[in-house]
Amino acid sequence: MTTIAVLGNGRVGGSLATALTRAGHDVTVADRSPGAAANAARTAQVVVNATPGDTSLDRLVALREELRGRILVDVSNATVDGPDGLPADLLYPGSSLGEQLQESLPETRVVKTLNTMLFTVMTAPATLTQAPTAFLSGEDQQAKQTVRELLTDLGWRKEWITDLGGIRTARATEAAILFVPHVIRSSGFAPFALSIAR
């Protein structure tokens, strides 16, 4: 059992918290009340960032002390939204939210994952008709192994998980968010994920 704090109680954070609790972990969800995020992070082994990507950096830098030594699982994408509310551009072109977090929180072990799919797939990958891929980006191998184990608890088979390397590789997976508005306009709001076919 892992003690997990989920920052963000929207659709992404809520579904991850429910699934991780169901898998037997001790999960706390931090709402927007003052001090909730700090209190949750302070007592957790793993912290999941499910806050909106365009505000994540400021929110998490404010928790620097609470996040010291923790594993930070970043599932958000930092984008500039278009008029329809869908991603239109990247907030950190030539970089990524994952990299910005790791640079700003050097004593926190950041692992980027689950950011290349519709949120429903994060906790139910086997519902797709083809095998999806969950990517891992991060500097710390032990942290990535912990996250890999959490992914298997969420239903991800080992062969569906691909370690891309260091946190710099997060810029590739974050850029994939630019597919999303086009896929939704083409096919509707149906579950999908990126997949590496071999």
Side-chain angles (χ1 to χ4, degrees):
M1 182 185 73
T2 304
T3 304
I4 302 171
V6 177
L7 307 184
N9 59 350
R11 294 181 299 182
V12 174
S15 61
L16 285 171
T18 298
L20 289 167
T21 300
R22 191 180 300 126
H25 299 288
D26 180 6
V27 181
T28 301
V29 180
D31 58 22
R32 295 191 181 198
S33 61
N39 290 336
R42 191 178 293 118
T43 59
Q45 298 164 287
V46 174
V47 178
V48 178
N49 174 40
T51 65
D54 59 341
T55 60
S56 288
L57 188 59
D58 288 342
R59 290 172 192 252
L60 294 170
V61 167
L63 301 174
R64 181 181 281 110
E65 291 304 314
E66 291 83 0
L67 292 172
R68 188 189 305 273
R70 306 292 190 269
I71 297 171
L72 177 62
V73 182
D74 178 31
V75 304
S76 296
N77 290 304
T79 60
V80 178
D81 290 343
D84 57 1
L86 295 174
D89 210 345
L90 301 174
L91 189 59
Y92 304 112
S95 183
S96 63
L97 175 57
E99 290 171 89
Q100 297 291 320
L101 288 168
Q102 188 62 85
E103 183 178 338
S104 300
L105 303 166
E107 295 180 80
T108 300
R109 296 175 289 166
V110 179
V111 179
K112 188 83 180 190
T113 193
L114 294 180
N115 62 310
T116 57
M117 61 201 69
L118 206 61
F119 77 95
T120 55
V121 180
M122 295 178 178
T123 59
T127 59
L128 296 182
T129 57
Q130 300 173 55
T133 303
F135 301 100
L136 295 174
S137 300
E139 300 300 323
D140 189 287
Q141 290 300 322
Q142 186 179 13
K144 285 196 282 188
Q145 180 57 34
T146 297
V147 174
R148 186 184 292 270
E149 291 166 6
L150 292 176
L151 291 178
T152 60
D153 287 344
L154 292 174
W156 290 86
R157 296 182 187 173
K158 292 179 181 179
E159 63 269 24
W160 295 353
I161 304 170
T162 297
D163 186 344
L164 296 179
I167 196 63
R168 194 173 189 273
T169 63
R171 66 181 61 179
T173 60
E174 288 192 29
I177 192 66
L178 298 181
F179 275 107
V180 170
H182 309 299
V183 172
I184 289 175
R185 292 183 191 114
S186 170
S187 308
F189 201 77
F192 70 91
L194 290 192
S195 177
I196 301 298
R198 292 186 174 89

